[in-house]
Amino acid sequence: MTRRFDAPGRSAPPPIPSQKPVERPRTTTFTAFGLASEAEPLAPGLHIVATPIGNLRDITIRALATLAAADAVLAEDTRVTRNLLAHYGITTPLLAYHEHSNDAVRERMVGRLRAGEALALVSDAGTPLVSDPGYKLVQAAIEAGILITPVPGPSAVMTALVAAGLPTDRFFFEGFLPQKAGARRNRLEALVQVPGTLVLFESPHRLPEMLADAAAVLGPDRPAAVTRELTKLYETIRRDTLGGLSQRFAEEGPPKGEIVVIIGAATAQERTVECDEVLDGLLRAALERHSIKDAASLVADETGQPRRVVYTRALALARSEG
């Protein structure tokens, strides 16, 4: 039995007069739930398709129809995407597009899009462009007036966030921290005042060091979760404070698999203390070179704090350390 599936999408823009749209088969097929399904040809343009982060069943019918009907699938790693397509009986040609793809590759892809093709862009797992290549291609397509169609689906960021048990009303996606310890700590310092839950990716072999730095910079009492192999057979979610998680992974050593770390926001009291410490540091440095009035004025301009508040603090520091 074969079903017909019409992939939803926006109307195609009028073809560029100077170029003849390529001819595509009227229908293509994919197999799901043991049934072969037909997918209507896609509107020309670049289709951004989210794919499973581990469990191959975590894919939408619309994503399968898009992958089946596309003229080609642009894949971060063709070996990974070939397994996905084969699982659903999809035979669409694969082309490599990854972080090392240069301008010439993008120009060829944009040329195909200009000619009226429908190309599907995928990453190895999850939603493309989220800590994955693809941004430059999307920008080039937009500049060329190409239709961009998102096909939403799995995301490691959202999956980890909802499983961590931490507030989700406000969050900040940081991605990967720098590899070197000094740069990593500096970046964590910049995240201290973020008023929301932090979402980070990390390589398994660097996880113990990263957690130790996070506990030292952000505070050992911050609630956090380390999620591993989400949606896969050995999925694990460990919830504790940063200090507790740091100690645990220091003892156990690096885990295996894909890692997402979720860190709770600082409390209002913690942010106040941290702000006071930053303010005092700036004032001490300014007081070494300027009068109390001038130091307070300079720091107030730099931080945006009320001059009266900064002057009062500068006066207290000068008296206590004078």
Side-chain angles (χ1 to χ4, degrees):
M1 177 180 178
T2 301
R3 296 175 297 162
R4 190 176 186 84
F5 182 85
D6 297 334
R10 290 167 285 179
S11 301
I16 298 172
S18 62
Q19 294 173 314
K20 181 181 179 180
V22 298
E23 295 183 359
R24 297 194 296 277
R26 292 183 60 82
T27 59
T28 48
T29 63
F30 62 92
T31 301
F33 310 112
L35 298 173
S37 301
E38 294 181 357
E40 283 292 310
L42 296 173
L46 184 61
H47 300 256
I48 315 300
V49 184
T51 56
I53 62 175
N55 192 318
L56 291 182
R57 292 175 294 179
D58 293 336
I59 191 165
T60 67
I61 296 297
R62 181 183 175 197
L64 291 175
T66 300
L67 295 173
D71 292 292
V73 175
L74 310 184
E76 185 179 1
D77 186 331
T78 55
R79 296 167 299 180
V80 173
T81 303
R82 184 174 289 111
N83 290 334
L84 173 67
L85 299 189
H87 184 80
Y88 287 102
I90 296 172
T91 59
T92 305
L94 284 166
L95 299 173
Y97 185 84
H98 45 70
E99 61 182 337
H100 302 297
S101 297
N102 56 26
D103 291 341
V105 173
R106 279 187 289 278
E107 288 175 6
R108 287 199 298 272
M109 297 303 101
V110 171
R112 294 183 64 160
L113 291 166
R114 281 183 175 277
E117 291 195 26
L119 301 181
L121 174 68
V122 301
S123 64
D124 285 350
T127 303
L129 279 71
V130 181
S131 276
D132 281 308
Y135 169 76
K136 291 182 179 179
L137 177 60
V138 171
Q139 283 292 303
I142 291 172
E143 291 173 1
I146 304 297
L147 181 71
I148 305 296
T149 302
V151 182
S155 165
V157 172
M158 300 308 298
T159 304
L161 186 64
V162 300
L166 295 171
T168 59
D169 57 332
R170 184 180 298 179
F171 63 92
F172 182 85
F173 174 63
E174 172 65 16
F176 286 95
L177 292 169
Q179 297 183 20
K180 294 185 177 179
R184 183 166 57 238
R185 285 187 170 235
N186 288 338
R187 183 56 194 161
L188 284 166
E189 291 280 2
L191 298 175
V192 168
Q193 294 297 320
V194 173
T197 300
L198 302 176
V199 183
L200 305 97
F201 290 162
E202 191 52 272
S203 299
H205 67 278
R206 285 198 299 269
L207 180 65
E209 295 178 1
M210 187 276 272
L211 289 173
D213 286 342
V217 175
L218 302 177
D221 295 328
R222 279 212 197 188
V226 173
T227 68
R228 184 183 73 89
E229 294 291 86
L230 290 170
T231 78
K232 300 178 185 177
L233 180 62
Y234 297 105
E235 172 183 286
T236 57
I237 302 170
R238 290 186 170 179
R239 306 174 183 88
D240 202 337
T241 61
L242 275 176
L245 290 169
S246 175
Q247 181 178 354
R248 177 178 297 184
F249 283 99
E251 295 170 352
E252 296 180 1
K256 295 180 179 180
E258 301 291 331
I259 304 294
V260 183
V261 179
I262 310 294
I263 303 174
T267 65
Q269 182 178 4
E270 288 172 332
R271 289 198 296 270
T272 298
V273 170
E274 289 157 356
C275 284
D276 288 344
E277 291 175 350
V278 171
L279 181 62
D280 286 355
L282 292 172
L283 282 172
R284 288 191 180 95
L287 287 168
E288 292 178 357
R289 303 184 303 274
H290 303 282
S291 66
I292 295 176
K293 181 179 180 181
D294 290 342
S297 179
L298 288 169
V299 172
D301 290 341
E302 182 177 351
T303 63
Q305 297 263 20
R307 289 177 182 270
R308 176 181 56 80
V309 173
V310 178
Y311 179 79
T312 300
R313 186 59 190 164
L315 189 60
L317 283 175
R319 288 173 177 172
S320 64
E321 300 177 3

